[in-house]
Amino acid sequence: MTQADVIVAGGGSAGIAAALTAARAGAHTLLIERGNRPGGMGSLARVHTFCGLFHPDVSRPWAWLNPGIPEEIGRHMMERTGQTAPDLMGRVYVLRQSPELFASLAAELCARESSLNCHHGVAWTGLLRTETGWELDLEEAGKRRRVACRALIDTTGDATGARLMNPAWLQPRPARLYRPACIASLTSVGGRRDDSWHLSMAAMLAHAVRQGELPNAALGTAFRNATVNAEMFVTVDLDAGGTAWDPLDAQHHAAVLQEGRAIIQSLWQWLRANHPDFADCPPPSHAEELGVREGSCYSGDHLLGGDDLASCRRFPDEVALAGWPMEKREDARGPKFRYFDRPEPAGIPAGCLRRQDAPGLFFAGRCLSADHEALASVRVMGTCLATGQAAGRMASAWVAQSP
Amino acid sequence: MPAAITADAVLQLLHGEAIVESDEPLAADTDLFACGLDSLALMRLLVAAEQAFGRRLPPAEISRARCATARALADWLNAQPVEVPAS
Ligand SMILES: Cc1cc2nc3c(=O)[nH]c(=O)nc-3n(C[C@H](O)[C@H](O)[C@H](O)COP(=O)(O)OP(=O)(O)OC[C@H]3O[C@@H](n4cnc5c(N)ncnc54)[C@H](O)[C@@H]3O)c2cc1C
């Protein structure tokens, strides 16, 4: 049986940061990812901006919020995409990112670490507790095997460990999960896409929906510029059955992805026919994964709440900083923001990443211990990189301390 | 002559459809973009306004100024011919 010091399950933003951190601290680390490449939502679902990387005070020049991996990845992304500063969007700084570059950058950084092994195309399907740590069942191309570790970091976004071992470690499911979305890239888009471009696009789409030329669901569409000039991303927020939406129901999940792609496809056809900037636009390149904003979360020693964030609360044992406003996307009304009371960061304490009764288990990213409202802030990729890094530190320290 | 659409009627629509959220009550001249009117909310606002007031807002005419306040929206709506009976 393969034996590692630390296993990181889930290779999204949080998992990449956790694995790099643990490996750099000297722990023999294994990163397990179901998809064919790293990046999670930031590559497989084509989420294309890094939020939460910067200090929330936009009256001052932009500054990195969490040192270490979040800054390292942010700097690499800026360099490789030719950006010299983040974009100022209203009351926040954001960095445009390329999903392909994010995946290749993560793979490169991981390959440089001699004590880190990455396995893609491998699903984590079972969990056992042993005297010295944990054993995980893995499935790869129909074959099962078991690996053991002393510390386990769950960065699957869905609290897989809790669901496999003890549902009592899960937080109760909120009445309504944040909406999922489908993203695609559009290339060879002409025109200068400034503020008035976006306004007139909104007016055209609203008009087309009113005329019955586009489905009602097209009202959930948002466009964003990519890091390359003639490329755009189109994101369609989906109702997905409202309160019935369950991202962990494979059939429901697949149906929503299909529905999202169909909306984007009809949107593309309509744009090609009606908008001069899209006359030469080839068919959309769809993300392979549905964008899931909320799955299930752990209930840890501390439950981070919306009020903790809004009041910029700090903790003696904080391990990362949050700075993104709570961006709640619950219904067709679009996002509702709850900003922090002051333009200052809030702390995320170590207790959000562990449970006393599960020693050697850590969790980070969008399945850490935060309530529904706080998750609307801490789920962004910049913050996931920071909490992943913190979990990597906690896990390697755990391994170093335990006999 | 159809009755002119007032800024108050637009405000009522904004509230009724919960297009934007604001800590202070919205007034005829409140900057809607500052209250979080983004492209998603704007699309819903345009569809709702066309439906409620029976006018068609020409997409080519849109500008930030025309949507920035309830008063500006009322003016823009009033400049359009009545197309279908208001619902
Ligand atoms: C539509 C949409 C728009 C968003 N917009 C932004 C934005 O603009 N800016 C921003 O910063 N954030 C945005 N987010 C949020 C952000 O993308 C995610 O919350 C973030 O990527 C979560 O990172 P993570 O590492 O916790 O999880 P994920 O990125 O979800 O990574 C989890 C990984 O675990 C793997 N995995 C899951 N289960 C298993 C298993 N059993 N075995 C093996 N591997 C497994 C998955 O394949 C995945 O790669 C958006 C999200 C969505 C859905």
Side-chain angles (χ1 to χ4, degrees):
Chain A
M1 186 169 20
T2 310
Q3 172 80 43
D5 292 331
V6 175
I7 291 183
V8 179
S13 307
I16 294 162
L20 286 172
T21 305
R24 286 175 187 177
H28 286 280
T29 306
L30 199 61
L31 175 63
I32 304 296
E33 166 56 42
R34 192 168 55 185
N36 64 2
R37 58 184 188 278
M41 291 293 141
S43 64
L44 303 167
R46 306 250 181 110
V47 173
H48 42 273
T49 51
F50 285 142
C51 303
L53 279 181
F54 306 102
H55 192 284
D57 188 353
V58 293
S59 70
R60 295 194 297 173
W62 64 275
W64 302 101
L65 182 58
N66 287 286
I69 308 266
E71 174 173 346
E72 180 180 341
I73 293 205
R75 279 184 192 278
H76 277 297
M77 186 55 71
M78 283 172 91
E79 205 172 283
R80 292 183 187 200
T81 55
Q83 299 177 88
T84 52
D87 299 334
L88 175 60
M89 280 175 46
R91 296 166 67 173
V92 288
Y93 286 119
V94 300
L95 185 68
R96 275 170 288 136
Q97 74 105 4
S98 152
E100 289 84 21
L101 284 179
F102 183 38
S104 53
L105 172 62
E108 266 172 57
L109 292 176
C110 290
R112 274 186 218 163
E113 299 306 323
S114 55
S115 55
L116 173 58
N117 274 308
C118 298
H119 293 259
H120 294 112
V122 179
W124 169 26
T125 55
L127 180 62
L128 272 177
R129 211 163 167 170
T130 65
E131 254 170 45
T132 51
W134 308 89
E135 284 180 14
L136 285 75
D137 289 322
L138 304 180
E139 256 180 61
E140 183 173 11
K143 282 202 204 103
R144 279 191 150 227
R145 68 190 157 107
R146 189 166 278 187
V147 291
C149 61
R150 291 158 76 193
L152 169 61
I153 305 178
D154 186 345
T155 44
T156 57
D158 297 327
T160 305
R163 289 187 295 111
L164 290 173
M165 177 158 280
N166 189 348
W169 297 349
L170 290 172
Q171 260 177 73
R173 197 192 134 107
R176 188 180 194 128
L177 298 178
Y178 297 122
R179 309 173 97 200
C182 219
I183 304 178
S185 356
L186 298 170
T187 52
S188 305
V189 185
R192 246 191 79 234
R193 284 144 358 233
D194 50 12
D195 192 49
S196 57
W197 187 95
H198 286 276
L199 277 179
S200 91
M201 176 61 87
M204 283 180 79
L205 293 184
H207 196 74
V209 167
R210 267 270 278 157
Q211 304 275 80
E213 293 167 8
L214 282 173
N216 231 325
L219 293 178
T221 306
F223 290 88
R224 281 228 196 99
N225 288 333
T227 54
V228 182
N229 224 338
E231 186 174 340
M232 293 199 94
F233 289 101
V234 55
T235 302
V236 179
D237 274 11
L238 299 160
D239 187 58
T243 52
W245 164 233
D246 181 4
L248 298 167
D249 174 336
Q251 249 176 326
H252 193 170
H253 192 117
V256 171
L257 178 62
Q258 192 137 20
E259 181 203 340
R261 286 183 177 168
I263 296 165
I264 291 177
Q265 204 68 25
S266 58
L267 198 64
W268 166 73
Q269 273 165 348
W270 187 89
L271 287 168
R272 256 184 85 104
N274 294 285
H275 197 303
D277 292 345
F278 293 86
D280 299 324
C281 176
S285 156
H286 295 285
E288 57 244 74
E289 289 282 339
L290 181 68
V292 176
R293 291 195 169 93
E294 186 174 18
S296 7
C297 288
Y298 278 91
S299 154
D301 292 336
H302 182 86
L303 180 68
L304 191 70
D307 293 340
D308 288 334
L309 292 177
S311 62
C312 307
R313 182 167 171 200
R314 302 298 292 261
F315 299 85
D317 63 336
E318 66 192 22
V319 289
L321 294 175
W324 190 255
M326 289 165 267
E327 182 185 334
K328 300 179 266 186
R329 292 174 180 262
E330 256 158 0
D331 52 36
R333 286 167 188 161
K336 293 286 168 273
F337 286 91
R338 181 178 181 197
Y339 287 91
F340 296 6
D341 297 341
R342 287 167 280 130
E344 281 167 33
I348 301 173
C352 292
L353 277 58
R354 65 174 179 218
R355 279 180 69 93
Q356 215 155 35
D357 63 359
L361 171 67
F362 304 91
F363 25 91
R366 67 179 167 90
C367 59
L368 56 58
S369 177
D371 72 9
H372 177 64
E373 187 177 40
L375 187 69
S377 162
V378 298
R379 68 184 178 81
V380 294
M381 290 191 280
T383 312
C384 287
L385 288 167
T387 57
Q389 166 171 269
R393 282 195 191 120
M394 288 161 72
S396 52
W398 167 263
V399 168
Q401 275 165 18
S402 58
Chain B
M1 252 317 266
I5 297 155
T6 62
D8 269 351
V10 175
L11 281 175
Q12 254 177 33
L13 183 82
L14 285 164
H15 281 300
E17 302 280 322
I19 304 274
V20 293
E21 255 179 16
S22 148
D23 299 337
E24 291 132 50
L26 293 177
D29 295 308
T30 304
D31 180 352
L32 300 175
F33 288 102
C35 296
L37 185 69
D38 63 358
S39 64
L40 289 184
L42 180 62
M43 283 193 278
R44 289 185 43 252
L45 171 59
L46 296 176
V47 169
E50 288 192 347
Q51 247 152 21
F53 301 118
R55 320 273 168 118
R56 207 143 272 200
L57 295 167
E61 281 183 15
I62 196 165
S63 69
R64 216 178 161 81
R66 287 202 160 105
C67 319
T69 65
R71 195 187 304 283
L73 269 163
D75 290 345
W76 188 27
L77 284 160
N78 283 318
Q80 312 307 320
V82 179
E83 195 180 55
V84 281
S87 57

